Amino acid sequence: MTLELRTDARSDYATGIVQLHKEYYVDQWGFGDAFVERITEHVASFIDRFDAGKDLMLTAHQGDALVGSLIMDVSGDPSKGAYLRWFIVSERVRGAGLGAHMMQFAMDWCAQKNYDYRTLSTYGGLKAARSLYDRHGFKLVSETRTDPWNAGVGEQILEWRGHPKDSDAA
């Protein structure tokens, strides 16, 4: 079955985005119900204030199933620049290059919008995701041992600084 990327911000995608995060972070990392509640609240808030002129909501679909998401949130907190959020790919399609394709789409979109400051936060131990971020020019700027989910992971903050004309992929 083929994969389809969509850039429309629909409220019915929120459930799928939350479910993907639950399956990965709760089921595999033990993050817990508070994590699901926070993701649910934050994704819904983003969709409510989504600005098509500033923000990107990229989702991947396999048939009727949402199998990936990547948000570039610009309208939320200007100090974070183009803030990469809720980037996840379903286990059933992981390893097929979808994450790399979505990341390149988002980086190209940022370049077209002249967003030359991009940030993201992630958790220590997510080696595949971190490798993808590194390949696209993100650099680690801070790391804490703070573990709000009691899952044995600390938070990492990464940023990308450059000029839109620069190559995004390493």
Side-chain angles (χ1 to χ4, degrees):
M1 186 174 289
T2 61
L3 293 167
E4 176 187 6
L5 292 183
R6 299 179 189 165
T7 57
D8 53 337
R10 293 178 29 182
S11 60
D12 58 325
Y13 294 164
T15 301
I17 293 170
V18 170
Q19 184 62 31
L20 288 174
H21 282 78
K22 180 187 177 298
E23 289 169 0
Y24 186 70
Y25 290 103
V26 175
D27 297 351
Q28 294 185 31
W29 286 82
F31 275 28
D33 292 337
F35 175 77
V36 175
E37 291 169 12
R38 181 176 176 196
I39 292 291
T40 301
E41 176 185 320
H42 287 216
V43 170
S45 175
F46 170 78
I47 291 172
D48 286 346
R49 70 172 161 73
F50 176 79
D51 181 338
K54 293 182 179 179
D55 301 319
L56 172 68
M57 183 169 178
L58 181 64
T59 54
H61 302 261
Q62 188 174 49
D64 291 336
L66 189 144
V67 295
S69 73
L70 186 155
I71 307 303
M72 294 304 295
D73 183 357
V74 180
S75 62
D77 180 352
S79 72
K80 293 182 179 181
Y83 185 37
L84 191 153
R85 306 181 80 182
W86 307 301
F87 179 33
I88 193 160
V89 173
S90 170
E91 185 174 2
R92 68 180 172 191
V93 296
R94 207 169 287 146
L98 177 60
H101 183 67
M102 292 179 77
M103 179 64 114
Q104 189 60 53
F105 185 103
M107 296 299 281
D108 291 344
W109 179 87
C110 284
Q112 290 170 1
K113 294 283 193 178
N114 294 319
Y115 294 149
D116 62 356
Y117 180 57
R118 307 161 196 174
T119 61
L120 66 91
S121 62
T122 189
Y123 300 103
L126 304 179
K127 292 178 183 171
R130 181 61 193 277
S131 175
L132 187 59
Y133 302 143
D134 291 346
R135 286 194 315 265
H136 282 84
F138 282 88
K139 304 292 183 205
L140 180 67
V141 294
S142 70
E143 188 168 18
T144 70
R145 293 197 179 275
T146 303
D147 182 7
W149 315 116
N150 298 315
V153 297
E155 183 180 37
Q156 298 176 334
I157 306 296
L158 290 86
E159 63 182 28
W160 184 98
R161 290 182 182 268
H163 299 287
K165 66 182 180 296
D166 295 341
S167 172
D168 289 328

